[in-house]
Amino acid sequence: MSIKKLITSRYSVRSFIDKEVSLELIKEILKTANSAPSGGNIQPWKIYVVSNNSYKELTTQAVSNFDNGVQEAIDYEIYPKPLADEYKKRRSECASDMYEAISIERDDIDSRMKQIRENFNFFGAPVGMIVTIDKSFAPNGWGHVGMFLQNLWLAAIEEGLGVCLQESWSIYPKTVKQVVKHPDNEMVWCGIAIGYPNTEDPINQYRTSRDSIDSFATFID
Ligand SMILES: Cc1cc2nc3c(=O)[nH]c(=O)nc-3n(C[C@H](O)[C@H](O)[C@H](O)COP(=O)(O)O)c2cc1C
């Protein structure tokens, strides 16, 4: 597949088939992603791969948190408060496109919550990852880690896998730390669900839109 095709056909996968992903393959993908550039080549990415016992422990506790309304002290706000109208509009379109694809009505809060809850099961993916970042790096270092994450995503697609990044994991930093035991100087940025996509599931069949380049690019003479 051409790089252009790979980039433009990538989408967030939120349903997976029951097929194991070998840790050898995960290692290969991480090795490829590791070619990402970073300022000064500092390579600030830290990835914790959770599978088997750690996967069970993390998802069980996170789903229980969700079901019981547990709130943990967060390390960062997922979106700025207030979120400017331009971004709010896109976020709301993104949510309504997804719920429409899976036939969940706007006022069906129970079904919406059930879908959000799936984040904490890594959407049924066989392998999960937690991405942390050294607390001292924001925001420049976060950009470097972003280069790595896009590499990882595209490398995974080339192997027939699907991916969803999950900032939702940042609401349970204490739970994540209990399982992955990352050092105190690191904070949880996001999670990653990775596995073979269930292409039959309607949640994997819709595609998000993008605004035109006029909305973000300025050409200055
Ligand atoms: C850093 C990051 C965090 C994200 N967190 C979540 C999440 O917690 N749950 C989720 O369902 N999707 C999450 N997404 C997926 C976005 O909603 C998705 O990328 C966006 O709507 C564009 O859709 P596409 O990836 O299908 O092109 C995240 C994406 C990124 C880049």
Side-chain angles (χ1 to χ4, degrees):
M1 202 187 296
S2 74
I3 292 172
K4 184 175 174 180
K5 179 88 185 139
L6 190 58
I7 291 171
T8 54
S9 61
R10 182 215 53 79
Y11 69 97
S12 293
V13 171
R14 297 187 180 88
S15 171
F16 299 86
I17 58 169
D18 186 13
K19 182 175 172 187
E20 201 189 318
V21 178
S22 74
L23 289 184
E24 281 64 42
L25 185 54
I26 295 288
K27 280 182 194 161
E28 192 56 39
I29 290 165
L30 291 172
K31 206 170 143 197
T32 305
N34 199 24
S35 300
S38 54
N41 199 23
I42 57 168
Q43 306 162 59
W45 35 85
K46 304 272 183 213
I47 309 290
Y48 297 85
V49 180
V50 291
S51 62
N52 304 315
N53 292 335
S54 60
Y55 179 103
K56 243 179 251 151
E57 199 186 334
L58 182 58
T59 54
T60 304
Q61 188 55 52
V63 168
S64 159
N65 288 350
F66 188 83
D67 290 345
N68 293 300
V70 170
Q71 292 195 337
E72 295 185 354
I74 53 168
D75 287 327
Y76 77 96
E77 292 287 352
I78 291 179
Y79 300 108
K81 285 183 178 159
L83 184 62
D85 288 347
E86 175 190 359
Y87 306 115
K88 216 189 272 173
K89 180 172 163 282
R90 291 182 190 143
R91 185 177 60 178
S92 138
E93 272 170 15
C94 157
S96 57
D97 287 351
M98 184 180 78
Y99 290 121
E100 194 187 326
I102 53 176
S103 307
I104 294 178
E105 301 289 336
R106 195 180 179 77
D107 53 3
D108 186 352
I109 305 300
D110 280 355
S111 301
R112 285 188 172 221
M113 293 304 275
K114 231 166 128 189
Q115 176 54 38
I116 294 169
R117 181 182 191 266
E118 278 312 292
N119 272 286
F120 304 108
N121 275 321
F122 289 110
F123 299 113
V127 177
M129 297 187 199
I130 295 293
V131 181
T132 68
I133 181 149
D134 193 304
K135 288 174 184 167
S136 63
F137 275 135
N140 187 30
W142 288 54
H144 305 163
V145 180
M147 311 289 284
F148 176 93
L149 294 179
Q150 177 76 346
N151 270 1
L152 181 153
W153 202 326
L154 299 180
I157 294 172
E158 194 166 42
E159 300 292 348
L161 296 165
V163 168
C164 190
L165 290 197
Q166 301 178 277
E167 57 207 2
S168 45
W169 282 100
S170 69
I171 70 169
Y172 297 135
K174 194 170 149 219
T175 298
V176 171
K177 189 165 168 58
Q178 271 160 5
V179 178
V180 309
K181 299 179 175 58
H182 55 78
D184 290 342
N185 64 309
E186 291 173 27
M187 60 182 269
V188 177
W189 172 5
C190 63
I192 305 176
I194 183 163
Y196 293 95
N198 177 358
T199 52
E200 305 290 305
D201 192 323
I203 203 162
N204 286 339
Q205 289 175 352
Y206 79 100
R207 296 292 176 266
T208 51
S209 61
R210 296 292 186 272
D211 283 4
S212 72
I213 67 162
D214 303 337
S215 70
F216 65 86
T218 306
F219 295 84
I220 302 157
D221 254 345

